[in-house]
Amino acid sequence: MALRYGVDPRAMSTLPGLDPETLDNDLIRVPNHTMWSICELITLTGIAEAGVAAGASIAPGALDSWGYLFATGDSLADGLRAAAHYSPAVTDPTAAFEVVEDGRLLTVRYRGIEAVPRLSFLHEWVMGMLLRRVQDATSTAATPIRVSFAHAAPRSHRYLTHAFATANIEFDAAASEITFIDPEAGTPPTPRDPELDRIVTRYTEMMMTSAKAPPDWHSTFLQVVSDALARDEVSLDAIANRLCMSTRTLQRRFEEQGTSWRDEVEAVRHEKTLRLLGETDLTVESVASRVGYADARTLRKAFLRWTGQTPDAYRRASRV
């Protein structure tokens, strides 16, 4: 969506968690600060309707199993409560979703995350997404009777009136929320299969408890260098390119951590050499080749500097 609204790809190239390996792994969560940064970048485009349009465009399945929870249970209220309960499967656990029932009125409240400014894009995205999910769950063109936003009013909110099909829109609220009239109690939102509901719920719970953060840039850097050593392709330009950042950005990150390109590559060679000597029977010549040294003599000299002993002495001691 950011690219669609004209955000420069270079502005996102250094954000962690956007590499194909992360995006293709259902159990790895894109870092929250990456998501907030993308929200800010889209906000800076000045396209007022971007948030609500992005939320409304999310088709079933785009949010994995979580999006299907809206259609589980014996009523729309049940589905909304299930989605609110399992919202940590798709967002930061501190972002509170709450379902409030008042007679036949159903309100979904979103308080967002305190550490994040009340970006209009983010809150309008969430309200637009909730509207789309309710419409998909009920198989109707359900329209809210009221929508509130935690952010300040824009110069014109005509696009919101059009998107939510209601003029009852408020701003500067304590929380962003959207209110519907609940269908008749006991009426499922759509024809449903209780066993499928159970499977979707259990899978969402598994996703929520199994999700993990992607490795940070430094961990990724160490792995990229380790892989490149065996191919003798270790250079600042090559590694920076693999990390989708400029050489200057990479060097700046080293400076921030009080280290340098040379020290970091040396550390990878050191760790990989210790592992190969301790876990394999490769000759010192072969180990030297795998860690990017021209010959065994160069490795022995470096190893003596690292440990104060020769590779052969270290191998014997590690296997006693």
Side-chain angles (χ1 to χ4, degrees), residues 70-88:
F70 288 81
T72 59
D74 292 325
S75 66
L76 177 60
D78 286 345
L80 291 174
R81 281 192 292 266
H85 177 74
Y86 290 107
S87 62

Side-chain angles (χ1 to χ4, degrees), residues 9 23 25 35 50 53 74 79-80 87 122-123 149 161 169-170 189 192 251 268 287 303 313:
L23 297 179
N25 189 330
M35 301 305 297
D74 292 325
L80 291 174
S87 62
L122 178 59
H123 287 261
F149 292 101
T161 301
I169 297 178
E170 304 171 352
R192 50 182 286 270
Q251 289 175 319
V268 175
V287 172
F303 200 84

